[in-house]
Amino acid sequence: MSFYGEKTLTCKNLLDYLKSLPRETLDKLYNHPATCLAVFRELPELSRHFILRVFFVLKPIQHVTVASWIPPHEPGKGKPWTMSATLESDPHQRDLDFLEKYAMDRWESVLQFLVQPRQGATAISRDAMRTLLHAGLIESDESESPNMQITSSGFQFLLLDTASQVWFFILKYLETVTERGLSLVECLTFLFKLSFSTLGKDYSMEGMDDRLLTFLQHLREFGLVYLRKRSSGRFYPTRLALNITAGQNKDHIDAPKQGNLIIETNYRIYAHTTSELQIALLNIFSEIEGRFPDMIVATITRGSVRSALQKGIAAEQIISFLRQHCHPQMYKQHSVVPRTVADQIKLWELERERLEITEGVLYKDFMSVHDFSLLSNFASSKGVLIYSDEKQRTMVVTKKGHPSIKQFWKEQSK
C-alpha cells in the first residue's frame, strides 16, 4: 500500500541503466572492450554460456574471411584498453589500508551531510551537493545549505548498502555530465575501466584531456579514486570504484564487513562504535538510551519505527540495514536478525498501512442539494472524487482534479 507524497527509492542496475540510454550513445560505448566485458559480467550464467558458444563454429573459416573482419588500417591485433601505461615507482606509495580509509572517509562525509545538511556544507564539494539535489535526496528552496533538508528518498538512501549507494549516486551524477560540459561516453568508458583495475595499483593520467581530468577530480571528491595532487600524474582506484559496475555480483568482491551491532530479542541494540554517522543512522529507527566511550545502547520501539516509516523508510530496509551491520557473532545464529525483532518491525509497518493518506481539496457550504449533487456527480465521472456526504453537503476531490472541478463550477454559475 502506498501513501500520498511518498515514493520508493529505486536504484537501477547496470543493464537497466544502459537500456535507458539512446542508441547512438550505446553504439559508441559498445565500441570499447571494457563496456562489453562489464555487460557480459552482469549477464545471467546461462546467457554467458550462449555467448561463449557462438564464438566457436563447426565449419572451417577461410583466412580471407577472418582477415576481412579486420579494418585495413589495423596491424591485425587489438590495442590495449586497460589503464596500463608504465609508471616509475611512486615515492608516495599508498597501501590498501590507506585507500580503504580514504574512500570511506570521503563517502561518509557525503552521508554525514545527508544526515545533517544544515551543518555539513563545508564537508562535501559543490559537485556532490549538486548531485544530491538532482537525485532528490535533499531539497531546498534556495542554493544555500542552511535551507536544505533530507527527503524521504534521502532517508531510504542512507539505509542502502555502500555499493548500492555509490552506484545510485554515480547514476544521478551521470545524468548531469552533459550540463557540466563533459562527455557521457567518455565518463562511462572510464568508469568501466576503473571497474577492472587492480586495488592498490597506481595508474597514469597520461593522455587524459581536460574533460576527463575534471571527471577524475569529481571521482576523487566522491572517494572513488585517490589523487594526491594533479601534478603527480597518477591516481589510485579505491574499492568503491572497483564495485561500481559489479551489480548483482558485488557481494563477491566487497571487502569482508566486520559489523558491530549486537541485537537482542528484547529489541535492544548494542553498537560498538564511536562513529557519529552510524549513531545518527541508528537514531533514524531506534531510540538512543545510553552512550559510553566505545559503545551505544539503543532500543527499537513502536514509536521509533513509526517515525522511520513516516520518513518513507520500509520495514524491510530497516531489517536489511541491521543484517548488513551485525557483528560476526550474530551470523552464528539461525537468524542473523532475531526473528521476533524482524517480525515485529513488519507488524508495526502493517499497522500503519491500514490507513491510506491522500491529499485533497474540501468542498462544503453548498447552497442546495442540487448544487452538491451536480458537482459530486461531475467529480465522480472524472474519477477525482475521494469522499462525498450528501447529508452534510461535503465532498473531497483530489488535488490534481481540483482545477477541472473549479472550472466546471464557474461555467455552471454563469
Side-chain angles (χ1 to χ4, degrees):
M1 185 173 293
S2 61
F3 298 86
Y4 187 89
E6 296 180 3
K7 61 179 181 179
T8 302
L9 184 72
T10 56
C11 182
K12 294 180 181 178
N13 58 33
L14 173 62
L15 297 182
D16 288 337
Y17 172 65
L18 291 177
K19 288 177 184 177
S20 68
L21 296 178
R23 176 65 179 270
E24 181 182 354
T25 303
L26 287 175
D27 288 341
K28 293 178 181 177
L29 283 173
Y30 284 128
N31 279 329
H32 201 285
T35 307
C36 300
L37 189 54
V39 173
F40 177 79
R41 185 173 61 181
E42 281 297 285
L43 294 174
E45 184 178 1
L46 187 59
S47 298
R48 295 199 299 267
H49 277 299
F50 285 161
I51 291 176
L52 289 174
R53 287 177 69 90
V54 300
F55 289 156
F56 303 94
V57 293
L58 299 177
K59 297 180 180 180
I61 301 177
Q62 296 182 1
H63 178 75
V64 176
T65 304
V66 176
S68 67
W69 297 344
I70 305 172
H73 62 275
E74 292 291 336
K77 60 181 180 179
K79 295 180 180 179
W81 55 268
T82 56
M83 301 172 293
S84 55
T86 303
L87 284 171
E88 296 180 358
S89 178
D90 186 1
H92 303 282
Q93 180 76 28
R94 301 303 185 184
D95 58 20
L96 296 181
D97 290 338
F98 174 88
L99 294 175
E100 196 76 30
K101 184 178 185 305
Y102 171 81
M104 295 315 300
D105 284 348
R106 293 305 308 154
W107 185 246
E108 286 186 4
S109 68
V110 176
L111 302 183
Q112 187 66 53
F113 176 81
L114 263 181
V115 175
Q116 298 175 314
R118 300 186 179 184
Q119 300 178 19
T122 59
I124 64 173
S125 67
R126 186 169 295 274
D127 292 292
M129 195 181 303
R130 179 180 174 183
T131 302
L132 293 175
L133 280 166
H134 173 75
L137 303 182
I138 56 175
E139 60 185 5
S140 173
D141 294 333
E142 303 175 12
S143 59
E144 298 297 325
S145 60
N147 296 313
M148 292 183 183
Q149 60 182 1
I150 188 171
T151 64
S152 171
S153 295
F155 280 112
Q156 296 177 56
F157 177 84
L158 287 171
L159 298 190
L160 294 175
D161 62 272
T162 303
S164 296
Q165 285 176 342
V166 175
W167 177 238
F168 178 85
F169 181 87
I170 291 298
L171 285 186
K172 293 303 178 181
Y173 169 85
L174 290 172
E175 291 177 1
T176 67
V177 292
T178 53
E179 300 172 10
R180 301 169 190 259
L182 306 179
S183 165
L184 176 61
V185 172
E186 282 186 1
C187 292
L188 271 173
T189 301
F190 186 72
L191 282 175
F192 292 144
K193 286 183 179 181
L194 282 180
S195 70
F196 294 107
S197 59
T198 301
L199 189 62
K201 176 178 170 54
D202 56 336
Y203 293 90
S204 173
M205 295 160 56
E206 182 182 353
M208 290 187 177
D209 58 22
D210 289 339
R211 294 187 304 182
L212 207 50
L213 288 173
T214 299
F215 181 55
L216 187 67
Q217 182 62 37
H218 291 169
L219 295 182
R220 174 195 189 187
E221 295 164 359
F222 307 152
L224 273 69
V225 300
Y226 169 75
L227 175 62
R228 189 172 65 86
K229 57 182 181 179
R230 191 161 176 170
S231 60
S232 66
R234 69 182 77 222
F235 66 92
Y236 292 82
T238 69
R239 192 178 300 277
L240 297 183
L242 269 65
N243 288 359
I244 196 66
T245 62
Q248 62 186 347
N249 298 320
K250 63 178 178 288
D251 293 336
H252 299 300
I253 60 178
D254 264 334
K257 215 171 217 180
Q258 296 297 321
N260 51 27
L261 301 184
I262 300 293
I263 307 167
E264 295 184 334
T265 54
N266 60 0
Y267 312 109
R268 181 162 290 177
I269 301 174
Y270 298 93
H272 295 273
T273 181
T274 58
S275 168
E276 290 298 325
L277 173 61
Q278 186 166 33
I279 294 170
L281 295 180
L282 285 173
N283 200 34
I284 292 175
F285 58 84
S286 66
E287 296 180 359
I288 306 297
E289 295 185 341
R291 296 186 62 160
F292 301 92
D294 62 347
M295 186 178 72
I296 297 296
V297 180
T299 301
I300 301 174
T301 67
R302 180 174 181 269
S304 64
V305 170
R306 286 178 64 86
S307 177
L309 295 172
Q310 289 171 359
K311 294 180 175 71
I313 298 171
E316 192 56 47
Q317 290 174 315
I318 297 175
I319 297 168
S320 176
F321 178 85
L322 293 173
R323 189 180 299 116
Q324 293 168 35
H325 295 86
C326 275
H327 190 279
Q329 194 70 23
M330 298 291 293
Y331 284 86
K332 297 180 181 180
Q333 303 181 26
H334 178 68
S335 180
V336 179
V337 177
R339 182 163 294 178
T340 53
V341 175
D343 289 346
Q344 185 60 67
I345 292 174
K346 293 177 181 178
L347 287 174
W348 283 328
E349 181 181 52
L350 290 174
E351 280 183 7
R352 184 169 181 261
E353 291 183 348
R354 292 172 185 171
L355 297 176
E356 183 175 351
I357 302 173
T358 305
E359 189 173 356
V361 179
L362 173 66
Y363 288 76
K364 62 178 183 178
D365 299 329
F366 286 90
M367 298 300 294
S368 66
V369 175
H370 175 268
D371 290 345
F372 170 81
S373 299
L374 179 67
L375 212 59
S376 177
N377 292 336
F378 178 77
S380 179
S381 67
K382 294 294 183 181
V384 297
L385 183 65
I386 299 176
Y387 170 80
S388 175
D389 187 336
E390 184 176 359
K391 186 177 182 180
Q392 299 293 330
R393 298 181 187 176
T394 301
M395 57 180 278
V396 179
V397 301
T398 64
K399 191 174 182 179
K400 187 176 180 180
H402 171 58
S404 62
I405 301 298
K406 186 178 179 181
Q407 181 63 32
F408 174 77
W409 180 247
K410 285 183 178 179
E411 294 174 356
Q412 294 298 316
S413 301
K414 290 180 180 179

